Amino acid sequence: HAVGNSLLVRNLPVPIDGFKRYDSRQRPTMGSRTSKVATSDTPSPIPEGDRLFTLDEEGTKRIPADINEKKGMKKGKPNMVSTTKFTIPTWLPKSLYYQFKRMANIYFLFISVIVCFPWSPKDWPSFVLPFIGVLLWTACKDAYEDIGRWREDERENSRRTQRWNAEEDTFEYVQWRHVHAGDLLKINCDECFPADLLMLQAAGGNESFISTVNLDGETNLKEKCAPNSCGHLMGAAKSCRRTRMFGSRMQEEQELEASRIARLLHSHGLNVHMGRPEILLSEVRGNLNLEDNHSPAGEANFLPRGCVLRNTLWVLTLAVYVGNETKTRLNAVAASQKTSKLQYYLDVSIRCMLFGLCTACAYLATLAVIFDKQDNWGIYFLKYMITLYHVVPISLYVVCEMLKLFLGIKVDMDPQMKDPETERYAKVQCTDLLEEVGQVGFIFSDKTGTLTANEMVFARCCISGQDPGDFRRSAPVQDGMEAVQKILRTPHHPLQEAVSLYFTCLAVCHAVQVEEVEDKAFPESLHYSGMSPDEVALVQAASSVGFHFRQRKRILGSSTTELSIEGPSSGELARFTVLREIEFNSDRKRMSVVVQHNQEYWCVTKGADNVMIPLLDHEPDSGTLEAISRFSKLGLRCLVVGMKKVSFDEWTAWQKTLQAADSLTDASKNDRVAEVSAAMETNLRLVGVTAVEDRLQDGVPHAIKTIKRAGVKLWVLTGDKIETAVDIARSCNLFNSSTRLAYATEAISIDECLQKLERAKTDLEGCVDAGLVLDGKTCKFALDNEVCRKLIYKLGLACRTCVCCRLSPMQKKHLVDLVRQENTSIITLAIGDGANDVPMIEGAHIGVGIRGKEGMQAAQASDVAISQFRFLVPLMFCHGSRAYRRIALFICYYIYKSVALAVGDFIWAHQDNFKGKIAYPEYLSMGYSVVFTAWHVVLVLGFDAGLSDEITNDSPEMYKDGPGHALFNRWIFGTWIFFSLLHGSAAWLAPNLVLGGKDWTPKTPNDFWLASMVSFTVVVIVCNARLHLNCLSPLRKEVVAASLAAFFSYWIYLFLLGHTTLGKIFQPSCVGLPAKVFNNSTAFTLLVLCSLATLIPDIVEKLIRRYFFPTCTDKVMREARRGKVHNGNTKASDDED
């Protein structure tokens, strides 16, 4: 170990230019603040965006001087964060600004202005007051949501942490908002980090453990360490790692130790140079200089804001990024807003209605100028704009938002999607997209952790071309472990050395943490945890055959760790000093450790076979290649393990080059580090192959079978090799025995890619059950070629399923983009559980995140979060399909009822020779838009479900209505418009011709207003009845109750207008008329007969459509009724299962 430590000291990197140019004579004099800043005229010796902190006996200096006064930072409170949209002065203006981005609200504002003119045919309060009410309701909703965000912010900013006060020579508590960049902070166990911190020292040594569950959802602890330059500060302190069971005396000693180290940092002079803030969590570049000892500062020393210190008494840190410069705030940018297709169609419909309204007003104004001649054309045009304003309903967007919110709550409370293990329900994070879930044509799914459980079990291995057998406890014959142990017990066995080296490498090459529980004499007492389930499975496999990984200990004063491995025979501990760990990532697809053991230097690497084989010193033997192929066909995940011994001179030269790369603070650091790291991972000796099983999640085969029956195309996008992915696809019903597979893989050029895709197209022609297999190499060329892109899309349409292997995260997103760009009418859904699935999830129309073992990044970035893949079935078939039908019906109904009311005004304009007078009392029109044909729609459609959840889940054919646009298209929309014209005309003409005539008076109740009230009542009855007729569950008690409540609210409203003082003030033309409707036999008879007669065409149309042009839902419901499902009761229940 002495050799390794001295080596690390000799090869510390040279200081960067920023340290060389810094002159202590530029330091400011002492001020009143605990942490001093450089004067404003101090020249900055560092690149723009970088920062330099100096701790010395005078205090703390910062360059640039205004590092805590940047734009977006509150003066004196640079670490204060705010996620609110508004402040008290800006709340109403900003809320109104957002609301007036909608064209409809601009139109309503225009009407509000012109209705105030004296020539307006309506009183201004009848429109302006409801409009103000809608605006204020939305503004109050915005304020309510923002107050919640403000409370969370205040709770966050008011938390306390300990900051070093150099003048008082002690730590003092300050609120998070008052933390400045350059402050020296002490964080105690189980406390959150208030800013992005650089770890300088930890209790008991220079290592600590943090929980990043608040950041990425990963529950495994991450190890962090102090830079090498700070290692000697701790001295011979007792180790406090991996336990929080400290005695009171030990705690007191450690508290004093923290203060002592803080003084040493100031007295010895600490310089820290950090690069500019970067969005990526892994992008941390810096340098640290203490007593002329230089060391790089990187991710291993970085403590992100929001993470929690665990199993370490305290850490001493330097705040390097605060406020909006922290990683969490930089990554908190607003995601691109997704808009559903139906929302788009709604906006288009509003534009069309406005165009139709303007056309009708222009037509009426032209005739008015010809026949009436009392005003000019412009005045007449504006009069009719006011008269017909309710063509665009004022409550449209508000009620639509309420309906979507109600549907989202039903998803959140659905017991079908409650995870039995975690007891967590589904969570809708974007209610605006719920109807999209009912129209999905393509599903893009990750494999590991999404289809599989991400619970890894070591299954088989290959050593020197030999497969010793199966290691799984669930296997019929568990002969692998016994065979390996027999080899290890036989001293002269030809495979003993190879087997021993193989499991030693598995016990060494990892980042797993270990804890000993109770009796350390038994392997079961060793508890392993790590970020990767694969690694844990491999370490457990090594332990099961006798190579027990016992301890990981940080070597005091360095960045190296020491692993203790207990062998199967002697029981003695072998020590391996990990000098460098080269982490796994999706680009490298491998990880390595460089270790020192018995004065030897080893590089041990494990990774995907397609990456590792080119790095070996020779081609693998036929037995190894055959084993890789066989394991893959069994659906096992294969890794190749290699190693080599490195001379001291090679190690020294490589370490020096790597430390120089680590010391870079510009954007080239990561590329340079990756290049130097890869130079070590060459000419490796093949050690063996691992094969790990990842079992399928419960219910996945049935869920995929059900989704395929619905006609949805399912693509599995994975990083696994082809054979593994195809075998998993067969086991989960993605492919079956009758599926004809076409392969387009291993292309090395665009021409070959095109040939392979053309051949696949030829192979699948005329096939009913076709499957396609692609890989990353082929996709690399295909995605850059327009002809190949179109071919992939056509093949995707021809195939029911597709498996794409060896893909990078961005290739997954590009395949989603390909489908979206080739056909803009197809709705795509992406589902995954890991951070590598986030681009795909964000790129699809709907992103579904699974709360998995790879963290919560996917769930946090998704539109809907669920716990298991099988929950996709009720999400799509119950909630998605119903949401599509409900929102489609809502749009049609809302526009229908508005046009139906406007038809009366349009006809009356012709009867009245275009004088610009209104047909219906204005306050009835106001109530029509916001009361008795509005609010109850949320309950009627929210509870209307059709069949039970059980039948719906087992009838995927019903889902085809969504992708086929069967419930919202030009024909459906045109039919609703036709009936609006028919109903509006019939409702107006019959009462008016029988009762009314043309005796219009502005404020005196007469026969015209009696006929008008009868006509208005017919419109209300017919519109609500048509909504009821189009429900799938018209007799459900909640639906009936909501409709009756709306109807009774109308009569209460009529009573208030006709028989109270309010009516005399606001609507004198209606005084006494409601009672007259019932007392006048002619009026009452007209009301009943006209309502019934007007609905006859609706009933006929419904019967014709259901029996001659049925949708998929109609067919299934008819079969359900014939089969007397659930004892003949087909009344729906969203909660039934």
Side-chain angles (χ1 to χ4, degrees):
H1 306 314
V3 174
N5 293 341
S6 63
L7 180 64
L8 290 172
V9 173
R10 288 201 306 267
N11 291 288
L12 289 171
V14 297
I16 61 174
D17 292 342
F19 291 138
K20 291 180 179 179
R21 291 199 295 266
Y22 183 73
D23 189 350
S24 62
R25 290 173 295 182
Q26 297 171 348
R27 297 171 183 168
T29 57
M30 291 284 287
S32 59
R33 262 190 54 78
T34 301
S35 299
K36 313 301 183 295
V37 299
T39 57
S40 58
D41 58 348
T42 302
S44 178
I46 55 177
E48 184 179 357
D50 287 17
R51 64 272 328 271
L52 180 65
F53 306 106
T54 301
L55 277 65
D56 57 21
E57 293 180 350
E58 296 181 359
T60 302
K61 287 83 180 179
R62 302 165 175 87
I63 297 178
D66 61 350
I67 191 68
N68 291 303
E69 299 173 4
K70 291 189 174 183
K71 183 178 179 180
M73 293 182 175
K74 196 167 184 179
K75 188 173 182 180
K77 304 173 184 178
N79 198 40
M80 182 176 179
V81 297
S82 175
T83 60
T84 59
K85 290 182 180 180
F86 315 108
T87 60
I88 293 178
T90 65
W91 159 60
L92 195 56
K94 287 185 74 173
S95 178
L96 293 175
Y97 170 74
Y98 291 136
Q99 292 185 63
F100 283 114
K101 284 186 174 183
R102 286 176 169 167
M103 181 180 293
N105 283 336
I106 296 176
Y107 162 72
F108 295 139
L109 178 63
F110 174 70
I111 298 296
S112 298
V113 173
I114 64 175
V115 79
C116 296
F117 284 89
W119 41 258
S120 170
K122 294 187 178 183
D123 290 343
W124 68 265
S126 67
F127 180 83
V128 174
L129 294 181
F131 181 50
I132 291 175
V134 168
L135 294 177
L136 288 178
W137 185 90
T138 305
C140 291
K141 178 179 72 73
D142 292 341
Y144 175 77
E145 293 173 350
D146 218 45
I147 288 172
R149 288 188 285 265
W150 175 82
R151 286 173 177 165
E152 291 297 324
D153 292 342
E154 188 64 18
R155 188 179 297 113
E156 181 91 349
N157 292 322
S158 300
R159 299 170 78 170
R160 301 203 308 164
T161 190
Q162 289 181 280
R163 181 173 66 188
W164 177 251
N165 187 327
E167 292 181 344
E168 300 294 334
D169 196 40
T170 186
F171 285 101
E172 61 182 8
Y173 279 99
V174 296
Q175 290 187 340
W176 279 22
R177 71 184 89 218
H178 295 128
V179 171
H180 289 60
D183 283 350
L184 199 60
L185 304 179
K186 175 172 168 282
I187 312 298
N188 295 318
C189 187
D190 296 331
E191 289 183 351
C192 280
F193 303 131
D196 284 353
L197 311 175
L198 184 69
M199 177 177 161
L200 302 177
Q201 194 55 254
N206 59 352
E207 67 171 347
S208 65
F209 297 90
I210 69 171
S211 168
T212 61
V213 68
N214 294 335
L215 189 66
D216 55 19
E218 295 182 359
T219 56
N220 299 304
L221 299 183
K222 315 293 190 303
E223 183 182 4
K224 298 293 181 176
C225 62
N228 296 344
S229 304
C230 300
H232 66 283
L233 295 174
M234 197 66 189
K238 297 179 181 179
S239 173
C240 300
R241 66 181 296 274
R242 304 298 290 170
T243 179
R244 287 163 43 196
M245 303 302 293
F246 301 103
S248 58
R249 181 177 178 181
M250 190 174 195
Q251 283 188 331
E252 293 175 3
E253 291 177 356
Q254 291 296 327
E255 295 288 342
L256 294 174
E257 186 71 9
S259 300
R260 184 186 70 81
I261 294 175
R263 296 187 202 99
L264 286 177
L265 290 172
H266 281 276
S267 62
H268 291 180
L270 174 68
N271 283 333
V272 177
H273 177 197
M274 298 298 296
R276 69 182 62 197
E278 300 286 354
I279 293 179
L280 295 178
L281 296 177
S282 58
E283 289 276 344
V284 181
R285 298 188 294 267
N287 258 307
L288 186 142
N289 181 10
L290 182 65
E291 293 185 308
D292 295 327
N293 289 329
H294 307 282
S295 60
E299 187 184 7
N301 325 116
F302 188 70
L303 309 176
R305 177 183 177 125
C307 297
V308 181
L309 182 67
R310 299 293 190 197
N311 295 2
T312 309
L313 183 59
W314 54 259
V315 290
L316 196 61
T317 66
L318 185 73
V320 291
Y321 305 115
V322 297
N324 292 329
E325 292 187 333
T326 58
K327 298 286 187 183
T328 53
R329 295 298 299 152
L330 291 174
N331 281 278
V333 294
S336 58
Q337 185 67 32
K338 294 181 179 181
T339 305
S340 72
K341 290 284 186 183
L342 284 183
Q343 182 68 45
Y344 168 77
Y345 292 143
L346 175 59
D347 294 339
V348 171
S349 300
I350 294 299
R351 295 189 187 100
C352 293
M353 299 306 295
L354 287 174
F355 176 78
L357 173 63
C358 292
T359 302
C361 291
Y363 162 76
L364 294 173
T366 302
L367 293 178
V369 170
I370 296 172
F371 291 98
D372 191 52
K373 302 180 182 179
Q374 293 184 7
D375 286 312
N376 59 45
W377 187 92
I379 296 296
Y380 277 119
F381 180 85
L382 295 177
K383 279 185 177 182
Y384 284 113
M385 285 286 287
I386 295 171
T387 301
L388 302 175
Y389 79 84
H390 40 70
V391 166
V392 181
I394 194 171
S395 60
L396 173 64
Y397 287 107
V398 171
V399 178
C400 187
E401 289 175 356
M402 292 172 63
L403 175 59
K404 290 185 176 183
L405 179 63
F406 184 78
L407 299 182
I409 292 173
K410 290 177 76 66
V411 175
D412 294 347
M413 300 175 63
D414 188 354
Q416 288 186 100
M417 293 183 284
K418 180 182 177 181
D419 185 24
E421 293 183 6
T422 63
E423 296 190 348
R424 299 186 68 178
Y425 290 82
K427 177 64 178 176
V428 178
Q429 299 175 145
C430 183
T431 57
D432 287 341
L433 299 175
L434 264 181
E435 65 268 27
E436 298 275 80
V437 182
Q439 305 171 73
V440 174
F442 274 76
I443 293 178
F444 297 88
S445 174
D446 177 43
K447 183 185 75 66
T448 304
T450 303
L451 301 180
T452 60
N454 206 15
E455 295 176 359
M456 307 300 178
V457 177
F458 187 83
R460 306 184 81 94
C461 64
C462 178
I463 306 170
S464 297
Q466 302 294 315
D467 176 7
D470 205 319
F471 284 73
R472 290 170 290 188
R473 293 181 179 179
S474 60
V477 180
Q478 186 185 349
D479 52 352
M481 186 181 303
E482 183 180 346
V484 167
Q485 290 174 337
K486 183 177 180 180
I487 292 172
L488 294 173
R489 289 195 301 265
T490 307
H492 302 293
H493 196 285
L495 289 179
Q496 188 192 48
E497 183 180 348
V499 170
S500 179
L501 177 62
Y502 175 87
F503 285 102
T504 299
C505 288
L506 295 189
V508 169
C509 184
H510 58 81
V512 171
Q513 299 294 334
V514 59
E515 288 183 285
E516 293 193 5
V517 184
E518 296 179 357
D519 191 352
K520 65 176 65 178
F522 298 96
E524 290 77 9
S525 65
L526 299 174
H527 174 69
Y528 298 118
S529 61
M531 290 180 284
S532 168
D534 299 68
E535 283 198 329
V536 174
L538 298 180
V539 174
Q540 287 174 339
S543 181
S544 67
V545 297
F547 291 84
H548 306 305
F549 165 46
R550 286 286 186 189
Q551 187 182 43
R552 180 186 294 272
K553 181 176 69 176
R554 178 73 61 177
I555 297 177
L556 197 63
S558 75
S559 62
T560 61
T561 57
E562 183 181 78
L563 307 183
S564 299
I565 312 296
E566 181 183 347
S569 54
S570 62
E572 296 181 0
L573 295 179
R575 312 286 184 180
F576 292 84
T577 303
V578 181
L579 304 174
R580 182 76 184 196
E581 178 184 321
I582 308 174
E583 294 182 349
F584 174 93
N585 62 45
S586 57
D587 295 324
R588 287 169 34 81
K589 295 183 179 179
R590 63 186 184 274
M591 73 90 65
S592 299
V593 291
V594 181
V595 299
Q596 180 186 358
H597 174 60
N598 294 335
Q599 303 303 317
E600 293 182 342
Y601 294 88
W602 294 7
C603 172
V604 185
T605 305
K606 66 172 186 281
D609 58 287
N610 63 322
V611 173
M612 288 292 296
I613 289 177
L615 302 179
L616 300 178
D617 55 4
H618 63 273
E619 282 290 319
D621 57 87
S622 58
T624 299
L625 293 175
E626 190 275 333
I628 293 175
S629 177
R630 187 174 71 256
F631 295 160
S632 299
K633 290 177 180 177
L634 292 173
L636 305 178
R637 302 181 63 178
C638 296
L639 293 177
V640 172
V641 182
M643 65 85 65
K644 69 175 181 180
K645 293 184 179 180
V646 184
S647 68
F648 178 79
D649 292 337
E650 288 178 302
W651 153 250
T652 303
W654 181 78
Q655 175 74 343
K656 184 176 181 180
T657 307
L658 185 62
Q659 287 182 334
D662 273 333
S663 301
L664 296 174
T665 58
D666 56 24
S668 66
K669 174 180 176 178
N670 287 347
D671 292 338
R672 180 57 181 157
V673 169
E675 179 185 347
V676 176
S677 299
M680 174 61 73
E681 301 164 323
T682 57
N683 298 318
L684 300 173
R685 166 189 168 188
L686 177 63
V687 175
V689 177
T690 69
V692 176
E693 178 191 40
D694 187 5
R695 71 172 183 85
L696 290 177
Q697 287 187 19
D698 295 336
V700 166
H702 178 72
I704 289 179
K705 183 179 179 180
T706 305
I707 290 170
K708 287 170 64 178
R709 283 176 56 199
V712 180
K713 310 293 184 185
L714 182 56
W715 288 27
V716 173
L717 313 181
T718 178
D720 283 343
K721 66 188 284 91
I722 296 170
E723 293 84 355
T724 303
V726 170
D727 186 79
I728 292 292
R730 293 189 187 279
S731 63
C732 66
N733 278 336
L734 200 67
F735 298 150
N736 53 47
S737 57
S738 63
T739 304
R740 183 191 299 176
L741 293 183
Y743 289 79
T745 58
E746 301 295 333
I748 59 174
S749 67
I750 291 180
D751 292 337
E752 186 178 356
C753 172
L754 183 58
Q755 291 174 6
K756 289 177 178 288
L757 291 173
E758 289 283 5
R759 189 182 306 118
K761 181 182 177 183
T762 303
D763 293 342
L764 298 179
E765 282 184 358
C767 181
V768 177
D769 186 7
L772 179 66
V773 180
L774 301 173
D775 70 347
K777 291 182 179 178
T778 303
C779 289
K780 176 183 177 182
F781 296 108
L783 292 171
D784 294 332
N785 183 274
E786 190 62 29
V787 177
C788 293
R789 288 172 64 90
K790 292 184 179 297
L791 262 177
I792 288 181
Y793 174 70
K794 290 179 180 177
L795 284 168
L797 290 180
C799 300
R800 299 177 65 186
T801 51
C802 177
V803 171
C804 304
C805 316
R806 300 297 196 191
L807 295 181
S808 67
M810 290 312 298
Q811 282 181 317
K812 293 181 179 182
K813 179 181 183 297
H814 291 157
L815 282 173
V816 176
D817 292 340
L818 183 152
V819 173
R820 293 191 62 170
Q821 292 164 9
E822 291 298 324
N823 190 336
T824 56
S825 65
I826 287 182
I827 304 298
T828 59
L829 181 149
I831 179 170
D833 73 315
N836 61 331
D837 301 317
V838 170
M840 173 179 72
I841 287 172
E842 292 179 339
H845 290 93
I846 311 110
V848 178
I850 291 184
R851 308 180 185 103
K853 295 180 173 61
E854 294 185 15
M856 291 290 288
Q857 298 98 319
Q860 291 165 352
S862 66
D863 304 306
V864 183
I866 58 178
S867 296
Q868 295 187 34
F869 181 87
R870 62 186 173 93
F871 295 157
L872 199 59
V873 171
L875 178 65
M876 290 174 61
F877 296 167
C878 291
H879 297 283
S881 186
R882 290 171 184 167
Y884 165 64
R885 185 181 52 77
R886 288 160 171 164
I887 300 299
L889 181 54
F890 168 83
I891 295 173
C892 292
Y893 167 75
Y894 232 76
I895 293 176
Y896 150 81
K897 76 180 184 69
S898 302
V899 174
L901 187 66
V903 168
D905 283 297
F906 188 81
I907 296 175
W908 169 243
H910 290 77
Q911 293 176 303
D912 194 40
N913 291 323
F914 311 100
K915 294 178 182 178
K917 299 173 182 176
I918 58 174
Y920 297 116
E922 58 262 48
Y923 285 95
L924 278 184
S925 298
M926 179 190 77
Y928 182 86
S929 297
V930 297
V931 184
F932 31 83
T933 63
W935 63 267
H936 79 293
V937 178
V938 175
L939 297 178
V940 170
L941 296 181
F943 285 106
D944 178 45
L947 297 172
S948 67
D949 291 343
E950 184 179 0
I951 300 175
T952 302
N953 289 332
D954 290 337
S955 306
E957 297 80 9
M958 296 172 62
Y959 188 80
K960 295 178 181 179
D961 287 339
H965 308 293
L967 303 181
F968 192 87
N969 50 51
R970 293 178 181 177
W971 172 258
I972 296 292
F973 188 76
T975 302
W976 279 87
I977 295 297
F978 168 77
F979 276 99
S980 69
L981 299 175
L982 176 64
H983 292 167
S985 301
W988 173 259
L989 288 173
N992 181 265
L993 294 177
V994 174
L995 297 173
K998 299 182 180 180
D999 187 16
W1000 188 94
T1001 57
K1003 295 185 179 181
T1004 305
N1006 58 14
D1007 288 342
F1008 173 83
W1009 291 116
L1010 175 63
S1012 176
M1013 185 171 288
V1014 172
S1015 295
F1016 191 91
T1017 305
V1018 171
V1019 172
V1020 172
I1021 293 172
V1022 170
C1023 287
N1024 284 332
R1026 179 167 174 82
L1027 174 65
H1028 212 70
L1029 283 173
N1030 281 273
C1031 289
L1032 296 179
S1033 306
L1035 300 181
R1036 181 168 178 166
K1037 59 183 179 182
E1038 294 89 350
V1039 175
V1040 173
S1043 296
L1044 290 176
F1047 188 68
F1048 284 123
S1049 70
Y1050 170 65
W1051 288 108
I1052 294 171
Y1053 192 91
L1054 274 184
F1055 174 80
L1056 293 174
L1057 280 183
H1059 302 285
T1060 65
T1061 305
L1062 287 175
K1064 295 177 181 179
I1065 296 173
F1066 291 102
Q1067 198 73 66
S1069 60
C1070 289
V1071 173
L1073 291 183
K1076 196 172 182 180
V1077 170
F1078 290 94
N1079 296 332
N1080 187 317
S1081 59
T1082 304
F1084 185 75
T1085 302
L1086 271 172
L1087 174 65
V1088 175
L1089 293 180
C1090 191
S1091 299
L1092 294 176
T1094 305
L1095 286 171
I1096 290 175
D1098 296 70
I1099 298 171
V1100 173
E1101 180 262 345
K1102 184 178 179 66
L1103 293 174
I1104 292 175
R1105 182 160 46 87
R1106 178 164 293 180
Y1107 288 97
F1108 293 97
F1109 305 98
T1111 63
C1112 296
T1113 301
D1114 292 334
K1115 295 176 183 177
V1116 174
M1117 291 190 68
R1118 189 189 310 162
E1119 294 299 320
R1121 290 190 178 99
R1122 288 175 179 172
K1124 298 183 180 180
V1125 180
H1126 291 265
N1127 296 322
N1129 181 14
T1130 59
K1131 186 176 72 170
S1133 171
D1134 281 358
D1135 302 325
E1136 214 177 277
D1137 190 10

